Every structure is written in structure tokens, then in C-alpha cells.
Amino acid sequence: MKRLLVILLSITFFAGCTTAPTAMTDRNEEYDFMAVKSYFIVGDKNLKNPMISDIDRSRFNEAISNEFNLRGLVSTDEKSADILINYFVVTKDKMKVTSSGHSGYYGTSSRYGRAYGYGYGVPNVNAKNYTQGTFVIDVIDAKTHKAVWRSTLVKPVKNYDSIEERKQAVTDLINTMFADLG
């Protein structure tokens, strides 16, 4: 009973530690973001990453536009914009390996009935292949062409069951990344 209680408390603790991915941001503290009135989304035009489809580019652009429009900025052409918005995606194939069992224990039962004594758990190793995506957004001062703000978010790439889920995931990603823009 005591062992079961320890396991349940551990699961509860670790479940409380899992959170949604957070964006890492950096900014030029001397830049006057209050003076910004207009923007232009360059996107990944310079890189044209094959990992981003034209459909997803439209979703990213729409979500970024919505974010800036809510902040009172106006979309304009590249030459008259105060800031330019660049983004890109980097992916990496990863493997997560977990192991459980194969630890010594003093038990009061076994799989063959009640027994007392020392023993070893059966080792269990799981390997999961996944793709990790890193999405980066740069806000560039249009006059100096230097970055004044950057947000980076790293998380596993997920397949979505519907177009609505995919669109909501893009919106949530952009909202998370721009939360620290101020």
C-alpha cells in the first residue's frame, strides 16, 4: 500500500511539471517598440523552406497579421513598413529512450503468488522516434535591417486530424511566441 501511495504521488508530481512549450525571446532593449505603427511579413521568402507548405505559410501569415492587428499595427508594403517579420523552421529527427524496471526491490508478492524476498524487475526499454521542430520569428527594424526582437519555440512536430486543429495549433504557436513582445 505504501509503495502504491509513493507511485501515485510521483505521477501526480510529474504530471504537474509538464507544461506547454514556452517561447524563448530576446530583444534589443534600446529599440522603441511604441514608435512602431506598420509591419510587413517577409516570412521565409529568402529561405523558402520545403518543410513549410504554402498552405501553412498562409496560416502563419494570417496568425501573425491577427496578432499585430490586435496590437493596433497596420500591414503595409515592404518599403514603407516600420518593421519586417521573418520566420523560419528547422526540424531534427530525434529519439526518446526511456527505461523502467530492472531495479532491486524487496517485495511481498510476485507474479506466481505471495512470496517474500529480494528480486529484480524486468527491464523495459522503449524508444520513440519523433521530429522536433524549432520555429523562429525575427522582428527586423526596416531602416537598419537589424533584428530588434526574436522568439524561438522548440517542440515535437505533431500530425493533426483536421484542418481546424492545424489552424488552431498555428494560432496558439504564434500567440505563445508573441506573448512577450509587450
Side-chain angles (χ1 to χ4, degrees):
M1 182 67 175
K2 187 176 180 181
R3 184 178 169 125
L4 178 63
L5 183 61
V6 170
I7 291 171
L8 288 174
L9 288 174
S10 297
I11 291 170
T12 304
F13 173 76
F14 288 117
C17 291
T18 59
T19 59
T22 56
M24 301 296 292
T25 58
D26 194 12
R27 70 175 55 222
N28 178 343
E29 292 180 2
E30 297 171 5
Y31 188 76
D32 183 14
F33 286 96
M34 298 303 287
V36 175
K37 304 295 182 219
S38 61
Y39 67 94
F40 177 78
I41 300 173
V42 178
D44 72 332
K45 180 171 78 173
N46 299 330
L47 300 174
K48 199 68 168 175
N49 187 330
M51 289 301 296
I52 303 176
S53 70
D54 290 336
I55 298 167
D56 280 335
R57 268 185 200 88
S58 295
R59 288 183 182 121
F60 288 133
N61 293 348
E62 180 181 347
I64 291 169
S65 288
N66 289 340
E67 186 69 32
F68 280 117
N69 292 342
L70 287 173
R71 295 169 186 270
L73 278 71
V74 178
S75 177
T76 187
D77 62 87
E78 189 170 1
K79 295 201 183 296
S80 58
D82 295 326
I83 56 173
L84 307 173
I85 313 302
N86 291 340
Y87 57 78
F88 62 92
V89 173
V90 178
T91 60
K92 183 176 186 180
D93 291 331
K94 307 269 289 192
M95 179 185 289
K96 181 177 183 179
V97 178
T98 57
S99 175
S100 61
H102 205 323
S103 59
Y105 67 90
Y106 183 80
T108 57
S109 66
S110 74
R111 67 181 198 200
Y112 300 112
R114 291 200 78 63
Y116 295 92
Y118 290 99
Y120 286 93
V122 176
N124 185 13
V125 177
N126 293 317
K128 179 183 175 188
N129 292 318
Y130 66 98
T131 302
Q132 177 178 286
T134 302
F135 191 72
V136 179
I137 299 175
D138 287 320
V139 174
I140 311 291
D141 179 66
K143 291 180 183 124
T144 64
H145 294 285
K146 292 187 178 184
V148 294
W149 183 87
R150 173 176 267 199
S151 183
T152 305
L153 193 136
V154 179
K155 66 181 251 177
V157 175
K158 182 180 178 209
N159 292 322
Y160 295 96
D161 295 330
S162 69
I163 293 170
E164 291 79 23
E165 283 183 0
R166 189 177 196 99
K167 190 173 182 177
Q168 185 61 48
V170 168
T171 300
D172 293 344
L173 173 81
I174 299 301
N175 292 344
T176 300
M177 295 180 78
F178 279 111
D180 190 42
L181 186 58

